[in-house]
Amino acid sequence: MTRLALLADIHGNLPALEAVIADMQRFAVQQVVVAGDTVNWGPFSRETLEVVTQRRWAVVRGNNELYALDFGTVRAPAHWSSFTLPPILREQLGEEGIRLLACQPDSLSLRFPDAPPLRVVHGIPGNPWQAIFPQTAESVITTWLSSVPERAIVCAHSHIALERHTGRWQIFNPGSVGMPLDGELSASYMIIEGSETGWQLLAHRRIHYDMQPIFTAFADMQYAERGGNVARLAIEEFRSARLQVYPYYRWKQANNPHAPDSPALLDAFMRIADTRPYLLPAYHDATSQLRRD
């Protein structure tokens, strides 16, 4: 049998990653697979990339790796020009880190002698910004995966763990190591085991760890001051394990579309009692439906 640890959405959170590494020792894992977004948002992007690279884990790029690679180039969409976090990320990574990301694949097909092939992507094939949610219609997923010959898929991006059978596919999302968005302040990852008969979820792990080093690092690097409203909201996502940036921009578009980002505008948003009208339905009181091990 082949036993894998599935990680995703580490987001520059080194304390969470270290806690997961310590926890996975009990499972005799043969290989670690990382489904993208190793970097960005958190204060330790260079360090988390170094861990993944030095340990020779199988890894794909997520949308946050593309921010580092494409920001300031002709590949970047026009609206990225106002983004404040990619310059900070590129500074964290340095030239060596950016070159490492440049050589990562966007998709992997893993083939084992004793288990079925496994496709690894960040969001869906060909689109790292689109996530599969527990509520996503089967017909939509079937369309998205129609070109995928592998019957088992590892994906991420939603930061919500799931195991789901749809059509001929078995889908694993290990949740987020570094930045869960289901309201639980703990690192999420999975252990799966494969044999000739298929893959099974052996364990879904939620690991608690000391988060204070994250906030200390944010303060030391003046992240909020340098990154403005989106950086302040990113810090709040770490504190709350709930989406903050996305509903802020939805609210801004609906109520103050021409207002520049400012502390006063952010204060107005933070006074909202209920942000659910500005959230995707999948994040309305989102919680993981998987068992805990």
Side-chain angles (χ1 to χ4, degrees):
M1 289 189 176
T2 295
R3 186 172 292 183
L4 306 176
L6 306 182
L7 282 60
D9 293 297
I10 301 168
H11 282 287
N13 186 339
L14 185 63
L17 179 58
E18 291 175 336
V20 165
I21 291 171
D23 184 75
M24 72 171 69
Q25 303 307 311
R26 71 185 68 184
F27 291 100
V29 169
Q30 294 161 300
Q31 178 58 286
V32 177
V33 177
V34 183
D37 278 8
T38 300
V39 303
N40 206 17
W41 296 76
F44 302 108
S45 287
R46 178 179 57 81
E47 292 85 350
T48 52
L49 178 59
E50 287 176 351
V51 170
V52 171
T53 302
Q54 291 170 3
R55 290 174 178 260
R56 299 182 181 275
W57 291 346
V59 60
V60 299
R61 284 191 295 240
N63 59 299
N64 280 276
E65 280 75 26
L66 297 182
Y67 287 135
L69 293 170
D70 291 355
F71 184 81
T73 74
V74 296
R75 298 186 299 270
H79 68 276
W80 284 19
S81 61
S82 63
F83 287 5
T84 58
L85 298 191
I88 301 174
L89 171 62
R90 289 174 62 86
E91 179 183 301
Q92 284 181 299
L93 293 172
E95 183 177 347
E96 181 180 357
I98 291 171
R99 289 189 180 279
L100 286 172
L101 296 183
C103 294
Q104 288 181 349
D106 296 316
S107 175
L108 284 173
S109 180
L110 306 182
R111 306 181 76 84
F112 303 94
D114 56 355
L118 191 66
R119 176 65 66 95
V120 185
V121 297
H122 181 63
I124 63 173
N127 186 347
W129 277 274
Q130 180 64 64
I132 296 174
F133 293 100
Q135 302 89 341
T136 305
E138 182 169 342
S139 60
V140 173
I141 297 175
T142 299
T143 299
W144 286 344
L145 303 184
S146 60
S147 64
V148 177
E150 297 88 352
R151 298 200 173 191
I153 297 173
V154 179
C155 61
H157 190 57
S158 69
H159 297 217
I160 298 174
L162 69 79
E163 180 196 13
R164 178 171 174 175
H165 293 262
T166 300
R168 62 186 179 88
W169 296 281
Q170 183 180 16
I171 304 166
F172 297 100
N173 183 332
S176 174
V177 169
M179 202 175 197
L181 294 175
D182 58 6
E184 182 173 331
L185 295 171
S186 62
S188 176
Y189 81 103
M190 284 180 175
I191 305 291
I192 64 171
E193 194 167 70
S195 66
E196 293 180 356
T197 60
W199 292 94
Q200 64 172 328
L201 177 60
L202 193 65
H204 172 221
R205 304 288 293 165
R206 297 302 296 257
I207 311 303
H208 295 275
Y209 62 96
D210 181 9
M211 298 187 68
Q212 187 54 48
I214 302 168
F215 303 117
T216 299
F218 277 137
D220 290 344
M221 66 189 292
Q222 297 185 308
Y223 192 65
E225 294 81 358
R226 297 176 63 193
N229 284 2
V230 68
R232 291 179 169 88
L233 289 164
I235 294 171
E236 187 59 30
E237 289 192 2
F238 279 99
R239 292 190 189 279
S240 65
R242 293 290 186 190
L243 271 178
Q244 304 289 339
V245 176
Y246 180 85
Y248 167 74
Y249 280 111
R250 288 282 303 274
W251 168 83
K252 182 177 182 293
Q253 183 61 34
N255 299 279
N256 300 277
H258 304 297
D261 282 337
S262 66
L265 192 66
L266 181 58
D267 289 343
F269 170 74
M270 297 300 288
R271 288 195 293 269
I272 297 173
D274 184 5
T275 62
R276 284 179 296 180
Y278 306 104
L279 284 169
L280 295 172
Y283 291 101
H284 289 185
D285 303 317
T287 57
S288 173
Q289 301 302 311
L290 294 178
R291 73 177 192 271
R292 305 298 173 82
D293 301 281

